[in-house]
Amino acid sequence: MSLFNKLSDHVIETSEQMLRVVEEGMAIMSGNEPGSNDGGTASHQTMGGGASSGIGGDPMAEFDGSQTPEDFLQAESPLNGIAEDVLQDIMASQAAPESVRENINGFKAAIRWEEPFILALLAFHAITILFTIFVIKRGGMTSRMILLGIIAIIVRSAEYLNQWGNTNWESFATQDYFDTKGIFVSLMLSGPLLFLSFFMLIAFLREATTLLVQVKKFELKEKYRKTTASKNGNGKGKGKKKSGKKNSAKQD
């Protein structure tokens, strides 16, 4: 049975209860009118007793004409709690999301993606992603550390931003996205910024690895150059000694 069928059943049942209460109240009111005969009085007592047993001591059954309309309106209504029961039954019949995909679809459906606040938030993330890519490729260490500091400040202030948004959401949004658990702020603000920080950290590690490899290559080349130079120097010294000995032997 679908949700609309259940809702229609609850509405029909509530309407029947209201109709019975109205009929019993009309019967009680007609029994208290002047000039009513004994049969009417007996009928009133019987119907009054049935009403008392049917609706659990309804104060409407005790209306005797001496009460003011304000007292009658302030009396406990037999309809109190019917609407709450209907809503509780409807909410109980709803199935909660079970899988991760259902939770994601429910989160996407709860957000109005066309409103200016959400569009501004998405534009902020797009600009931040482009700036991060630019800083990683062409920026220096100072610009990277500044960007990481800004991201850290925003993420650290997410809790305070959620509290402020929960109080002032009507000034910039069409609905309250800021719950006490901070799910919206965590997924739509802190999550993307933390992902960018992780991406920058990976870029740092990659550059550090590349620099380490280059330094090791330079050290090996320098060591090889020094070794080759020393070998060449030793060979030249030995050649000069041999040539000197040959010249001295010829002179003798």
Side-chain angles (χ1 to χ4, degrees):
M1 183 180 293
S2 64
L3 172 64
F4 296 102
N5 293 333
K6 293 182 180 180
L7 182 61
S8 62
D9 293 340
H10 285 299
V11 171
I12 293 173
E13 183 180 355
T14 304
S15 301
E16 293 177 353
Q17 294 179 2
M18 294 176 63
L19 182 60
R20 287 197 299 269
V21 170
V22 171
E23 291 177 352
E24 293 173 354
M26 292 298 294
I28 294 173
M29 295 290 291
S30 62
N32 286 331
E33 291 179 357
S36 59
N37 53 14
D38 295 339
T41 304
S43 176
H44 161 65
Q45 292 177 355
T46 304
M47 295 182 66
S52 299
S53 60
I55 59 177
D58 183 12
M60 293 176 64
E62 299 177 358
F63 184 78
D64 54 0
S66 62
Q67 300 175 353
T68 62
E70 288 78 6
D71 296 336
F72 182 74
L73 292 175
Q74 292 177 358
E76 183 180 359
S77 174
L79 300 179
N80 289 341
I82 293 179
E84 288 80 0
D85 294 338
V86 172
L87 291 176
Q88 289 177 0
D89 293 338
I90 294 174
M91 296 301 295
S93 62
Q94 297 297 312
E98 297 180 355
S99 63
V100 177
R101 186 173 181 180
E102 291 180 354
N103 283 285
I104 294 175
N105 292 333
F107 180 79
K108 290 169 58 178
I111 296 177
R112 297 179 179 176
W113 299 97
E114 69 279 1
E115 68 172 300
F117 167 64
I118 301 298
L119 295 177
L121 186 59
L122 295 177
F124 166 75
H125 286 306
I127 294 173
T128 307
I129 291 172
L130 294 177
F131 186 70
T132 302
I133 295 174
F134 175 79
V135 168
I136 290 174
K137 289 187 175 182
R138 299 188 178 183
M141 184 61 64
T142 304
S143 59
R144 296 179 183 182
M145 296 305 297
I146 291 174
L147 180 58
L148 281 176
I150 293 173
I151 291 176
I153 291 173
I154 295 176
V155 173
R156 183 64 183 85
S157 305
E159 182 178 358
Y160 304 101
L161 292 175
N162 184 65
Q163 294 177 357
W164 182 85
N166 190 13
T167 307
N168 305 283
W169 64 269
E170 295 180 352
S171 60
F172 58 89
T174 58
Q175 59 181 342
D176 188 6
Y177 296 104
F178 307 92
D179 57 343
T180 55
K181 296 181 180 180
I183 297 177
F184 175 81
V185 173
S186 299
L187 294 178
M188 296 296 293
L189 180 64
S190 301
L193 294 178
L194 290 176
F195 176 78
L196 289 178
S197 301
F198 183 71
F199 182 72
M200 293 182 66
L201 178 61
I202 293 176
F204 281 147
L205 293 176
R206 183 180 178 182
E207 289 185 2
T209 304
T210 304
L211 289 175
L212 182 61
V213 172
Q214 291 177 357
V215 169
K216 286 295 181 182
K217 285 182 178 180
F218 179 77
E219 289 179 353
L220 292 174
K221 288 181 180 180
E222 189 68 19
K223 186 177 181 180
Y224 176 76
R225 187 181 63 81
K226 289 181 179 180
T227 303
T228 305
S230 63
K231 287 181 179 180
N232 293 333
N234 293 332
K236 290 180 180 180
K238 291 179 180 179
K240 289 181 179 180
K241 290 180 179 179
K242 289 181 180 179
S243 62
K245 289 181 180 179
K246 289 180 180 180
N247 293 329
S248 62
K250 287 180 180 181
Q251 290 177 359
D252 294 341

